[in-house]
Amino acid sequence: MAASPHTLSSRLLTGWVGGCVWYLERRAMQESPHKFMHLFRNINKQWITFQHFNFLKRMYVTQLNRSLNQQVKPKPEPVTSPFLEKTSSGQAKAEVHELRPISPPSLPLSRKANEKELIELESASVIEASIDVGNATKEEKQWKEMKLHVDDLPGILARLSKIKLTGPSSVRGVPPHKLPGACHRIALVVSTTSAGFALAPGPFDWPCFLLTLLGTGLASCAANSINQFFEVPFDSNMNRTKNRPLVRGQISPLLAVSFATCCALPGVALLTWGVNPLTGALGVFNIFLYTCCYTPLKRISIANTWVGAVVGAIPPVMGWTAATGCLDAGAFLLGGILYSWQFPHFNALSWGLREDYSRGGYCMMSVTHPALCRRVALRHCLALIGLSTAAPILDVTTWTFPVISLPINLYISYLGFRFYRDADRKSSRKLFFCSLWHLPLFLLLMLTCKQPPGGGSDKGEPQS
């Protein structure tokens, strides 16, 4: 039997030293299991802590990747074109047809083959139709040159010269769908020229009257065509003018200029040699004023409105000079009436088109000076009352005219005041539509109250 350490130490060492060694050996043997277990527990704790650290590390990496995945935008699904959609639908239909239950065995094999052929033909037709639709949509999106047909040429030239526009807006170019249908097919230039010819004193000469209307209309067509030729890049930015023939490329600029030349030369020739040189000179001056002064001023200064009003006031003066051969007070009175009428008409119109004019780069009162735009409209509405009173004084009408024209003049002045006060689209539209019927009615009342021949000596009787 092996000897214990206590007996071994006691045998080797005796006395006090042997007792100390024996005590130390005994204590070590008693405490060694506790120290070993404590050391094992510490190791286990360290091992658990290390595992826990790895777990936290994995959790952190997982959360980080998840947050990064949330920040990244998901890749959008590819948009299927109509061609692919229709192709897939056609294939789905073909698959549905193929998955249908098989016909009873009593049917012959040839009939089954025919059904499969029909299904294949249907799917092929669907695919071909989808291809055609896809090609059609691509052709619509792509730019292509518009071909000019001879049948469409008269309508295009009519739009180029603004023949189809309403009478009161032929100078300004309001779309026809915004105006009453009764005003269509009546040109302002022709109507006011005929009114000036009819109001002039003297006998009515039908050949001269027809030549005057034809020459004035041709001169107006030339001026409008040249105006559209100059404003093609600016008209393309405006919703109101983006469908004009030159903007859409329906005709070439060379054709537009050629058409304007073919209208201007015979028009001026008819007015000069068919009527009288004074009327022809007024026609040439009006073309120059409209194309070379009014058109470029629209992008420079608000003075273009006053120049445009002069352009609109010349046609009735031309009618008067065609009948009388001279410029007198009656001619200037008619020109003043048309001059004043255009301000409430155009200022109210431009108020609703401020965004469009600003987009096109035009310098209009309604865009740059809105308060002045409303004041000028009201001022010239009131001026119509004064001009009506001046008509019998200048022996153009009788004294009945200022009385019977007072209600419509007061009404348009009231709408002008509403436009000045409210400054909104509703009041501007009311004033604009009132101006459309005000001018024809005003001129009609002047014709009914025209001074009879030899009645000028009685002009003082109504005043007494």
Side-chain angles (χ1 to χ4, degrees), residues 166-174 179 183 186-189 191-192 305 308-313 315-316 333-349 376-385 387-388 408-409 412-413 430-443 446:
T166 61
S169 61
S170 60
V171 179
R172 303 296 184 227
V174 181
L179 302 175
C183 293
I186 302 174
L188 172 68
V189 173
S191 61
T192 54
T305 308
V310 174
V311 172
L333 173 67
L334 290 176
I337 290 172
L338 264 295
Y339 178 84
S340 292
W341 172 85
Q342 287 180 92
F343 284 98
H345 168 77
F346 178 67
N347 289 10
L349 168 65
V376 170
L378 176 60
R379 187 183 305 157
H380 285 276
C381 286
L382 297 173
L384 290 173
I385 301 176
L387 291 170
S388 301
I408 62 173
N409 289 334
I412 195 172
S413 300
K430 285 185 176 181
L431 179 60
F432 172 71
F433 280 97
C434 175
S435 67
L436 294 180
W437 58 261
H438 177 273
L439 181 65
L441 184 58
F442 189 88
L443 295 177
M446 286 191 74

Side-chain angles (χ1 to χ4, degrees), residues 165-166 169 173-179 184 239-241 349 353:
L165 295 178
T166 61
S169 61
V174 181
H177 67 273
K178 293 186 177 181
L179 302 175
H184 287 255
N239 295 327
R240 187 172 61 91
T241 55
L349 168 65
L353 301 173

Side-chain angles (χ1 to χ4, degrees), residues 315-372:
V317 179
M318 293 172 64
W320 186 281
T321 58
T324 61
C326 62
L327 283 170
D328 51 15
F332 289 106
L333 173 67
L334 290 176
I337 290 172
L338 264 295
Y339 178 84
S340 292
W341 172 85
Q342 287 180 92
F343 284 98
H345 168 77
F346 178 67
N347 289 10
L349 168 65
S350 63
W351 190 266
L353 301 173
R354 286 177 293 175
E355 295 83 1
D356 220 16
Y357 279 122
S358 179
R359 192 183 303 113
Y362 292 112
C363 189
M364 297 296 174
M365 266 194 297
S366 58
V367 178
T368 59
H369 300 78
L372 179 63

Side-chain angles (χ1 to χ4, degrees), residues 104-367:
S106 59
L107 296 174
L109 294 175
S110 61
R111 186 174 179 181
K112 296 179 181 178
N114 292 334
E115 288 181 356
K116 288 184 178 180
E117 290 177 357
L118 290 174
I119 292 171
E120 292 177 356
L121 289 174
E122 288 179 359
S123 60
S125 62
V126 170
I127 293 173
E128 290 177 358
S130 61
I131 292 174
D132 294 338
V133 172
N135 293 333
T137 54
K138 285 183 179 179
E139 289 179 358
E140 289 178 358
K141 291 181 180 179
Q142 291 178 354
W143 181 89
K144 59 181 180 180
E145 185 179 0
M146 300 186 68
K147 295 182 179 180
L148 177 62
H149 299 283
V150 180
D151 298 338
D152 300 333
L153 187 59
I156 294 173
L157 294 179
R159 291 170 54 200
L160 179 68
S161 57
K162 302 181 183 179
I163 291 177
K164 289 189 176 182
L165 295 178
T166 61
S169 61
S170 60
V171 179
R172 303 296 184 227
V174 181
H177 67 273
K178 293 186 177 181
L179 302 175
C183 293
H184 287 255
R185 303 176 301 275
I186 302 174
L188 172 68
V189 173
V190 175
S191 61
T192 54
T193 304
S194 60
F197 192 94
L199 285 169
F204 194 87
D205 188 359
W206 278 102
C208 183
F209 174 73
L210 295 177
L211 289 175
T212 303
L213 294 186
L214 182 59
T216 308
L218 289 173
S220 176
C221 291
N224 291 328
S225 301
I226 297 173
N227 174 56
Q228 290 195 32
F229 169 75
F230 285 142
E231 295 182 344
V232 170
F234 315 116
D235 289 343
S236 60
N237 298 325
M238 300 176 61
N239 295 327
R240 187 172 61 91
T241 55
K242 64 182 180 182
N243 291 323
R244 287 180 173 177
L246 283 173
V247 177
R248 296 185 62 188
Q250 292 178 328
I251 57 174
S252 64
L254 178 61
L255 180 58
V257 174
S258 302
F259 173 73
T261 305
C262 294
C263 290
L265 293 178
V268 173
L270 286 175
L271 293 175
T272 304
W273 288 285
V275 183
N276 54 61
L278 178 59
T279 307
L282 287 174
V284 173
F285 176 71
N286 210 19
I287 294 174
F288 170 79
L289 196 64
Y290 187 71
T291 58
C292 299
C293 297
Y294 171 70
T295 300
L297 271 177
K298 289 167 68 175
R299 303 183 57 81
I300 299 175
S301 171
I302 61 172
N304 69 84
T305 308
W306 282 268
V307 177
V310 174
V311 172
I314 290 178
V317 179
M318 293 172 64
W320 186 281
T321 58
T324 61
C326 62
L327 283 170
D328 51 15
F332 289 106
L333 173 67
L334 290 176
I337 290 172
L338 264 295
Y339 178 84
S340 292
W341 172 85
Q342 287 180 92
F343 284 98
H345 168 77
F346 178 67
N347 289 10
L349 168 65
S350 63
W351 190 266
L353 301 173
R354 286 177 293 175
E355 295 83 1
D356 220 16
Y357 279 122
S358 179
R359 192 183 303 113
Y362 292 112
C363 189
M364 297 296 174
M365 266 194 297
S366 58
V367 178

